[in-house]
Amino acid sequence: MRTWHQAPPAKRMLWRAIGRGLASRCPNCGRGAIFTGFTRIVDFCPVCAEPLHHHRADDAPPYIVITIVGHIVIGLLLWTEMRFSPPIWLHMAVWLPLALALSFVLMRPVKGGVVGLQWALGMHGFGPEPDSDRDGALPPERYP
């Protein structure tokens, strides 16, 4: 809760934060990497020490990836079927690996974009009020 002597929170640029997230960079500074593994988010930005441990992307990135990949693969599959009518084994040999590869390629940027969106909107602990879990957590070796 903000009191009368606290400054209002700084305005966060939505599309800049999402773009930085899509590039796997910190939504605050745009320089620090936000992933430690394939899709594991760092607790704090290594450059600006922005806390990122409260992100709650959960199932949103997979749903978004499924929607994107589904539109691409099904659209191309239907076009190919109508235009060339290849045998079913060829469809399976082309579209299943393509769907799998697109899913892996898109998962990290989409998750980064969701974290950037959450950060820009002040959702799930990214706002001025701390979350109930991990309240007051400081980045290691950043603050006394």
Side-chain angles (χ1 to χ4, degrees):
M1 175 181 252
R2 211 165 40 99
T3 60
W4 66 272
H5 64 281
Q6 289 176 321
K11 181 166 172 46
R12 296 175 175 179
M13 303 301 290
L14 177 67
W15 294 110
R16 181 181 296 160
I18 293 172
R20 288 175 175 174
L22 289 170
S24 300
R25 297 288 168 208
C26 172
N28 184 41
C29 69
R31 294 186 313 259
I34 61 171
F35 291 106
T36 60
F38 181 62
T39 59
R40 185 177 178 337
I41 303 291
V42 296
D43 286 338
F44 298 91
C45 173
V47 175
C48 69
E50 177 72 23
L52 299 171
H53 58 79
H54 14 54
H55 78 89
R56 297 288 182 267
D58 297 331
D59 293 336
Y63 288 137
I64 295 168
V65 168
I66 288 168
T67 301
I68 294 169
V69 171
H71 280 83
I72 292 170
V73 170
I74 297 300
L76 289 172
L77 183 143
L78 291 174
W79 178 81
T80 303
E81 179 63 32
M82 296 299 288
R83 177 90 177 171
F84 304 108
S85 194
I88 193 72
W89 68 266
L90 187 57
H91 278 302
M92 300 294 274
V94 171
W95 305 118
L96 289 177
L98 179 64
L100 188 62
L102 282 173
S103 297
F104 277 112
V105 167
L106 291 173
M107 187 57 68
R108 258 181 92 142
V110 168
K111 184 167 184 176
V114 169
V115 171
L117 172 72
Q118 291 175 346
W119 178 85
L121 297 178
M123 299 168 61
H124 306 297
F126 287 122
E129 285 83 26
D131 252 4
S132 60
D133 66 335
R134 300 179 85 175
D135 285 346
L138 295 176
E141 302 162 355
R142 291 286 184 181
Y143 299 110

